Short mmCIF file of all heavy atoms in Angstrom, two decimals:
data_model
loop_
_atom_site.label_atom_id
_atom_site.label_comp_id
_atom_site.label_asym_id
_atom_site.label_seq_id
_atom_site.Cartn_x
_atom_site.Cartn_y
_atom_site.Cartn_z
N GLU A 18 -6.72 -15.01 5.03
CA GLU A 18 -7.27 -16.11 5.81
C GLU A 18 -6.16 -16.77 6.61
O GLU A 18 -5.00 -16.76 6.21
CB GLU A 18 -7.88 -17.15 4.88
CG GLU A 18 -9.09 -16.64 4.12
CD GLU A 18 -9.69 -17.72 3.23
OE1 GLU A 18 -9.42 -18.90 3.47
OE2 GLU A 18 -10.42 -17.36 2.31
N ILE A 19 -6.55 -17.34 7.72
CA ILE A 19 -5.58 -18.07 8.54
C ILE A 19 -5.42 -19.45 7.92
O ILE A 19 -6.37 -20.22 7.80
CB ILE A 19 -6.05 -18.18 10.00
CG1 ILE A 19 -6.14 -16.77 10.62
CG2 ILE A 19 -5.10 -19.05 10.81
CD1 ILE A 19 -6.64 -16.77 12.05
N ALA A 20 -4.20 -19.76 7.49
CA ALA A 20 -3.92 -21.05 6.88
C ALA A 20 -3.78 -22.11 7.96
O ALA A 20 -3.63 -21.82 9.14
CB ALA A 20 -2.64 -20.97 6.06
N ASP A 21 -3.85 -23.39 7.53
CA ASP A 21 -3.69 -24.49 8.48
C ASP A 21 -2.32 -24.39 9.14
O ASP A 21 -1.30 -24.20 8.48
CB ASP A 21 -3.80 -25.83 7.75
CG ASP A 21 -5.22 -26.08 7.27
OD1 ASP A 21 -6.15 -25.49 7.85
OD2 ASP A 21 -5.38 -26.86 6.30
N GLY A 22 -2.31 -24.48 10.42
CA GLY A 22 -1.05 -24.45 11.16
C GLY A 22 -0.57 -23.05 11.49
O GLY A 22 0.45 -22.88 12.15
N MET A 23 -1.25 -22.01 11.01
CA MET A 23 -0.82 -20.63 11.28
C MET A 23 -1.47 -20.18 12.59
O MET A 23 -2.68 -20.25 12.74
CB MET A 23 -1.23 -19.70 10.14
CG MET A 23 -0.79 -18.26 10.32
SD MET A 23 -1.38 -17.18 8.99
CE MET A 23 -0.07 -17.36 7.81
N ASP A 24 -0.67 -19.75 13.51
CA ASP A 24 -1.24 -19.27 14.76
C ASP A 24 -1.59 -17.79 14.66
O ASP A 24 -1.32 -17.13 13.66
CB ASP A 24 -0.29 -19.54 15.92
CG ASP A 24 1.05 -18.86 15.78
OD1 ASP A 24 1.27 -18.16 14.77
OD2 ASP A 24 1.88 -19.00 16.69
N ILE A 25 -2.19 -17.28 15.71
CA ILE A 25 -2.66 -15.89 15.72
C ILE A 25 -1.50 -14.92 15.56
O ILE A 25 -1.61 -13.92 14.84
CB ILE A 25 -3.44 -15.60 17.02
CG1 ILE A 25 -4.67 -16.49 17.12
CG2 ILE A 25 -3.82 -14.13 17.10
CD1 ILE A 25 -5.70 -16.26 16.05
N ALA A 26 -0.38 -15.19 16.18
CA ALA A 26 0.79 -14.29 16.10
C ALA A 26 1.31 -14.22 14.67
O ALA A 26 1.61 -13.13 14.16
CB ALA A 26 1.88 -14.75 17.04
N ALA A 27 1.41 -15.37 14.01
CA ALA A 27 1.90 -15.38 12.63
C ALA A 27 0.92 -14.66 11.72
O ALA A 27 1.32 -13.92 10.80
CB ALA A 27 2.10 -16.81 12.16
N TYR A 28 -0.37 -14.86 11.95
CA TYR A 28 -1.39 -14.16 11.17
C TYR A 28 -1.27 -12.65 11.37
O TYR A 28 -1.36 -11.88 10.42
CB TYR A 28 -2.79 -14.63 11.56
CG TYR A 28 -3.87 -13.80 10.93
CD1 TYR A 28 -4.21 -13.98 9.58
CD2 TYR A 28 -4.53 -12.82 11.64
CE1 TYR A 28 -5.19 -13.21 8.99
CE2 TYR A 28 -5.51 -12.03 11.06
CZ TYR A 28 -5.83 -12.23 9.73
OH TYR A 28 -6.79 -11.46 9.14
N SER A 29 -1.06 -12.25 12.61
CA SER A 29 -0.95 -10.82 12.93
C SER A 29 0.24 -10.20 12.19
O SER A 29 0.13 -9.10 11.64
CB SER A 29 -0.79 -10.64 14.43
OG SER A 29 -0.59 -9.29 14.75
N VAL A 30 1.37 -10.88 12.18
CA VAL A 30 2.56 -10.37 11.48
C VAL A 30 2.30 -10.29 9.99
O VAL A 30 2.61 -9.28 9.34
CB VAL A 30 3.79 -11.26 11.79
CG1 VAL A 30 4.95 -10.90 10.89
CG2 VAL A 30 4.19 -11.13 13.26
N ALA A 31 1.73 -11.34 9.42
CA ALA A 31 1.45 -11.35 7.98
C ALA A 31 0.46 -10.25 7.62
O ALA A 31 0.63 -9.56 6.60
CB ALA A 31 0.91 -12.72 7.57
N HIS A 32 -0.54 -10.05 8.43
CA HIS A 32 -1.54 -9.02 8.16
C HIS A 32 -0.91 -7.63 8.25
O HIS A 32 -1.18 -6.76 7.42
CB HIS A 32 -2.71 -9.13 9.13
CG HIS A 32 -3.75 -8.09 8.93
ND1 HIS A 32 -4.58 -8.08 7.83
CD2 HIS A 32 -4.10 -7.01 9.66
CE1 HIS A 32 -5.39 -7.05 7.90
NE2 HIS A 32 -5.11 -6.37 9.01
N SER A 33 -0.05 -7.43 9.23
CA SER A 33 0.63 -6.15 9.40
C SER A 33 1.53 -5.85 8.20
O SER A 33 1.55 -4.72 7.70
CB SER A 33 1.46 -6.16 10.69
OG SER A 33 2.18 -4.97 10.83
N GLN A 34 2.26 -6.85 7.74
CA GLN A 34 3.12 -6.67 6.57
C GLN A 34 2.29 -6.35 5.33
O GLN A 34 2.65 -5.48 4.54
CB GLN A 34 3.97 -7.92 6.33
CG GLN A 34 5.05 -8.11 7.36
CD GLN A 34 5.78 -9.43 7.20
OE1 GLN A 34 5.29 -10.34 6.51
NE2 GLN A 34 6.92 -9.56 7.84
N SER A 35 1.18 -7.04 5.18
CA SER A 35 0.30 -6.80 4.04
C SER A 35 -0.26 -5.38 4.08
O SER A 35 -0.29 -4.68 3.06
CB SER A 35 -0.84 -7.82 4.06
OG SER A 35 -1.77 -7.53 3.06
N GLN A 36 -0.66 -4.93 5.25
CA GLN A 36 -1.20 -3.58 5.41
C GLN A 36 -0.13 -2.53 5.13
O GLN A 36 -0.40 -1.52 4.48
CB GLN A 36 -1.76 -3.39 6.83
CG GLN A 36 -2.45 -2.06 7.02
CD GLN A 36 -3.69 -1.91 6.16
OE1 GLN A 36 -4.47 -2.85 6.01
NE2 GLN A 36 -3.89 -0.75 5.59
N THR A 37 1.10 -2.78 5.58
CA THR A 37 2.21 -1.86 5.33
C THR A 37 2.48 -1.74 3.83
O THR A 37 2.65 -0.63 3.32
CB THR A 37 3.48 -2.32 6.05
OG1 THR A 37 3.21 -2.39 7.46
CG2 THR A 37 4.64 -1.37 5.81
N LEU A 38 2.51 -2.85 3.12
CA LEU A 38 2.73 -2.82 1.67
C LEU A 38 1.60 -2.08 0.96
O LEU A 38 1.84 -1.32 0.01
CB LEU A 38 2.86 -4.24 1.13
CG LEU A 38 4.15 -4.97 1.50
CD1 LEU A 38 4.10 -6.42 1.01
CD2 LEU A 38 5.36 -4.26 0.93
N GLN A 39 0.39 -2.26 1.43
CA GLN A 39 -0.74 -1.56 0.83
C GLN A 39 -0.63 -0.06 1.07
O GLN A 39 -0.88 0.75 0.17
CB GLN A 39 -2.06 -2.09 1.39
CG GLN A 39 -3.28 -1.48 0.74
CD GLN A 39 -4.57 -2.09 1.28
OE1 GLN A 39 -4.56 -2.96 2.16
NE2 GLN A 39 -5.69 -1.64 0.75
N ASP A 40 -0.23 0.34 2.27
CA ASP A 40 -0.06 1.76 2.60
C ASP A 40 1.05 2.39 1.76
O ASP A 40 0.92 3.52 1.28
CB ASP A 40 0.25 1.94 4.08
CG ASP A 40 -0.94 1.61 4.98
OD1 ASP A 40 -2.07 1.53 4.46
OD2 ASP A 40 -0.71 1.42 6.19
N ILE A 41 2.13 1.66 1.55
CA ILE A 41 3.23 2.16 0.72
C ILE A 41 2.75 2.33 -0.72
O ILE A 41 3.01 3.35 -1.36
CB ILE A 41 4.45 1.22 0.79
CG1 ILE A 41 5.09 1.30 2.17
CG2 ILE A 41 5.47 1.55 -0.30
CD1 ILE A 41 6.14 0.25 2.42
N GLY A 42 2.04 1.36 -1.23
CA GLY A 42 1.51 1.44 -2.59
C GLY A 42 0.57 2.63 -2.76
O GLY A 42 0.61 3.34 -3.77
N THR A 43 -0.27 2.87 -1.76
CA THR A 43 -1.18 4.01 -1.82
C THR A 43 -0.41 5.32 -1.80
O THR A 43 -0.74 6.26 -2.53
CB THR A 43 -2.17 3.96 -0.63
OG1 THR A 43 -2.86 2.72 -0.68
CG2 THR A 43 -3.15 5.10 -0.68
N GLY A 44 0.64 5.39 -0.99
CA GLY A 44 1.47 6.60 -0.94
C GLY A 44 2.17 6.87 -2.26
O GLY A 44 2.23 8.01 -2.72
N VAL A 45 2.71 5.83 -2.86
CA VAL A 45 3.38 5.98 -4.16
C VAL A 45 2.39 6.42 -5.22
O VAL A 45 2.68 7.30 -6.05
CB VAL A 45 4.08 4.66 -4.57
CG1 VAL A 45 4.56 4.71 -6.00
CG2 VAL A 45 5.24 4.36 -3.63
N LEU A 46 1.20 5.86 -5.21
CA LEU A 46 0.17 6.26 -6.17
C LEU A 46 -0.21 7.72 -5.98
O LEU A 46 -0.36 8.46 -6.96
CB LEU A 46 -1.06 5.38 -6.02
CG LEU A 46 -2.24 5.72 -6.92
CD1 LEU A 46 -1.85 5.59 -8.40
CD2 LEU A 46 -3.43 4.82 -6.61
N ALA A 47 -0.34 8.18 -4.75
CA ALA A 47 -0.68 9.58 -4.49
C ALA A 47 0.40 10.51 -5.03
O ALA A 47 0.10 11.53 -5.64
CB ALA A 47 -0.87 9.81 -2.99
N LYS A 48 1.67 10.15 -4.81
CA LYS A 48 2.78 10.97 -5.34
C LYS A 48 2.77 10.97 -6.86
O LYS A 48 3.02 11.99 -7.49
CB LYS A 48 4.13 10.45 -4.83
CG LYS A 48 4.42 10.77 -3.41
CD LYS A 48 4.66 12.24 -3.26
CE LYS A 48 5.09 12.58 -1.86
NZ LYS A 48 5.22 14.00 -1.66
N THR A 49 2.49 9.84 -7.46
CA THR A 49 2.44 9.74 -8.91
C THR A 49 1.33 10.63 -9.48
O THR A 49 1.52 11.33 -10.48
CB THR A 49 2.20 8.28 -9.35
OG1 THR A 49 3.25 7.46 -8.82
CG2 THR A 49 2.18 8.13 -10.85
N LEU A 50 0.18 10.63 -8.83
CA LEU A 50 -0.93 11.47 -9.27
C LEU A 50 -0.58 12.96 -9.11
O LEU A 50 -0.92 13.77 -9.98
CB LEU A 50 -2.20 11.13 -8.51
CG LEU A 50 -2.81 9.77 -8.81
CD1 LEU A 50 -3.98 9.48 -7.87
CD2 LEU A 50 -3.25 9.68 -10.26
N ASP A 51 0.10 13.31 -8.02
CA ASP A 51 0.52 14.70 -7.83
C ASP A 51 1.48 15.14 -8.93
O ASP A 51 1.37 16.23 -9.47
CB ASP A 51 1.19 14.89 -6.46
CG ASP A 51 0.20 14.79 -5.31
OD1 ASP A 51 -1.02 14.90 -5.56
OD2 ASP A 51 0.67 14.61 -4.16
N MET A 52 2.44 14.28 -9.25
CA MET A 52 3.41 14.60 -10.30
C MET A 52 2.71 14.71 -11.66
O MET A 52 3.05 15.59 -12.46
CB MET A 52 4.52 13.55 -10.37
CG MET A 52 5.47 13.58 -9.19
SD MET A 52 6.32 15.16 -9.01
CE MET A 52 7.19 15.28 -10.54
N ALA A 53 1.73 13.86 -11.93
CA ALA A 53 1.00 13.93 -13.19
C ALA A 53 0.23 15.24 -13.29
O ALA A 53 0.18 15.85 -14.37
CB ALA A 53 0.03 12.75 -13.31
N LYS A 54 -0.33 15.71 -12.17
CA LYS A 54 -1.05 16.98 -12.18
C LYS A 54 -0.09 18.13 -12.49
O LYS A 54 -0.41 19.02 -13.29
CB LYS A 54 -1.70 17.21 -10.82
CG LYS A 54 -2.52 18.49 -10.75
CD LYS A 54 -3.01 18.78 -9.34
CE LYS A 54 -4.20 17.94 -9.00
NZ LYS A 54 -4.80 18.32 -7.70
N ILE A 55 1.09 18.12 -11.89
CA ILE A 55 2.09 19.17 -12.13
C ILE A 55 2.56 19.15 -13.59
O ILE A 55 2.64 20.18 -14.25
CB ILE A 55 3.28 19.01 -11.17
CG1 ILE A 55 2.84 19.33 -9.74
CG2 ILE A 55 4.45 19.90 -11.58
CD1 ILE A 55 3.85 18.94 -8.68
N GLU A 56 2.85 17.95 -14.09
CA GLU A 56 3.31 17.82 -15.48
C GLU A 56 2.22 18.25 -16.46
O GLU A 56 2.52 18.86 -17.49
CB GLU A 56 3.74 16.38 -15.75
CG GLU A 56 5.04 16.02 -15.04
CD GLU A 56 5.38 14.55 -15.15
OE1 GLU A 56 4.60 13.79 -15.77
OE2 GLU A 56 6.42 14.16 -14.62
N ARG A 57 0.97 17.94 -16.15
CA ARG A 57 -0.13 18.36 -17.02
C ARG A 57 -0.24 19.88 -17.07
O ARG A 57 -0.42 20.46 -18.14
CB ARG A 57 -1.44 17.75 -16.52
CG ARG A 57 -2.63 18.02 -17.44
CD ARG A 57 -3.89 17.36 -16.96
NE ARG A 57 -4.31 17.92 -15.69
CZ ARG A 57 -4.63 17.19 -14.61
NH1 ARG A 57 -4.58 15.89 -14.67
NH2 ARG A 57 -5.00 17.77 -13.50
N ALA A 58 -0.07 20.53 -15.93
CA ALA A 58 -0.12 22.00 -15.88
C ALA A 58 1.04 22.60 -16.67
O ALA A 58 0.86 23.58 -17.41
CB ALA A 58 -0.09 22.48 -14.44
N GLN A 59 2.22 22.02 -16.55
CA GLN A 59 3.38 22.51 -17.29
C GLN A 59 3.20 22.32 -18.79
O GLN A 59 3.54 23.20 -19.59
CB GLN A 59 4.66 21.81 -16.82
CG GLN A 59 5.08 22.21 -15.43
CD GLN A 59 6.26 21.39 -14.92
OE1 GLN A 59 6.55 20.32 -15.44
NE2 GLN A 59 6.92 21.89 -13.89
N LEU A 60 2.66 21.18 -19.19
CA LEU A 60 2.43 20.92 -20.61
C LEU A 60 1.39 21.88 -21.17
O LEU A 60 1.55 22.40 -22.28
CB LEU A 60 1.97 19.47 -20.81
CG LEU A 60 1.68 19.04 -22.24
CD1 LEU A 60 2.92 19.17 -23.10
CD2 LEU A 60 1.15 17.63 -22.27
#
């Protein structure tokens, strides 16, 4: 949400940073799941 006193530019930057962190988290989760699949096959 746009907080009091936050302009559109600040909101845009905050939203972009939030989206980037979410994308990184999704990527890390995908790699973790891939590694778990490999380890399960080896076990």
Side-chain angles (χ1 to χ4, degrees):
E18 295 181 19
I19 297 178
D21 291 336
M23 182 184 272
D24 61 0
I25 299 296
Y28 172 77
S29 176
V30 170
H32 179 70
S33 177
Q34 289 173 344
S35 174
Q36 185 64 41
T37 301
L38 289 174
Q39 184 177 1
D40 291 344
I41 290 170
T43 302
V45 170
L46 178 61
K48 285 290 186 185
T49 302
L50 291 173
D51 289 343
M52 289 300 300
K54 182 187 281 187
I55 291 168
E56 290 172 359
R57 186 177 65 230
Q59 290 173 341
L60 180 61

